[in-house]
């Protein structure tokens, strides 16, 4: 990035000229960029995608069922239609697993979603626990964290312990994480209000009436966390006139 910044040193773009004559400005930027060098390799500018290429990216294949109420009849020669493949999912290149495979090398082959960047991200953050386990009815008890004194379940067993497959614990929380919302929906005895952020039961603040009218669920908040610039954590905005009341920036 900083090399690109060097290329743009002393450049100012005028909005009006951008709109009136983008080609000249593109030429100027390309010219400056292609004078840059990284690890002895010159920068190269590629032509940006045209309207047509962009539209092609979002093609949807018709189902080719004459009775389908959505798809119009196909217009392509039928052989060509049959040879059309859906766009492949991104999968790592076989030669270099740090990169994705080139489009031409995987088009028409079977690919899986598991290497999609957003999918990988969501998997990395997901708890490796069956969904049916982490529900209110299955809460048996609480423990208080030694370090932060918050009530929760931390890792119980070492990785090779046989109970690891039987007893599940959340692993994606740490001492900075707020209290799990399930704690508040559980009506187990010994469940008393604690601050959503720090887990303390002292100095809880009564939420303002205006907030109570806007949200079904307002989680407890203590004075100390207010001092630390925390606000009430809320859930379930109450809808009025069929519309969620729009959040306004103040
Ligand atoms: Zn159809
Ligand atoms: Zn802790
Ligand atoms: Zn607090």
């Amino acid at each position: 990035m900083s090399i690109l910044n060097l290329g743009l040193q002393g450049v100012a773009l005028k909005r009006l000229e951008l709109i009136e004559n983008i080609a000249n400005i593109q030429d100027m930027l390309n010219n400056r960029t292609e004078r840059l060098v990284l690890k002895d390799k010159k920068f190269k500018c590629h032509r940006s995608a045209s309207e047509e290429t962009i539209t092609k990216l979002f093609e949807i294949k018709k189902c080719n069922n004459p009775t389908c109420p959505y798809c119009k009849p196909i217009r392509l020669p039928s052989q060509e239609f049959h040879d059309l493949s859906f766009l492949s999912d991104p999968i790592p290149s076989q030669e270099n697993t740090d990169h994705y495979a080139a489009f031409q090398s995987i088009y028409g082959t079977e690919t899986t979603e598991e290497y999609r960047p957003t999918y990988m991200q969501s998997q990395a953050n997901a708890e490796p626990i069956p969904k049916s386990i982490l529900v209110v009815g299955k809460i048996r008890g609480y423990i208080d964290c030694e370090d932060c004194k918050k009530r929760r379940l931390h890792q119980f067993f070492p990785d090779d312990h046989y109970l690891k497959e039987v007893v599940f614990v959340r692993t994606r929380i740490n001492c900075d994480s707020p209290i799990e919302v399930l704690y508040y929906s559980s009506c187990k005895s010994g469940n008393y209000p604690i601050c959503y952020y720090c887990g303390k039961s002292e100095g809880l603040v009564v939420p303002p009436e205006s907030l109570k009218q806007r949200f079904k669920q307002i989680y407890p908040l203590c004075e100390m966390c207010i001092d630390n610039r925390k606000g009430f954590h809320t859930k379930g905005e109450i809808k009025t006139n069929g519309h969620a009341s729009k959040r306004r920036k103040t």
Side-chain angles (χ1 to χ4, degrees), residues 195-200 221-222 224-225:
C195 174
Y196 174 73
Y197 296 101
C198 70
K200 300 221 163 59
L221 177 68
C222 79
M224 216 177 63
C225 288

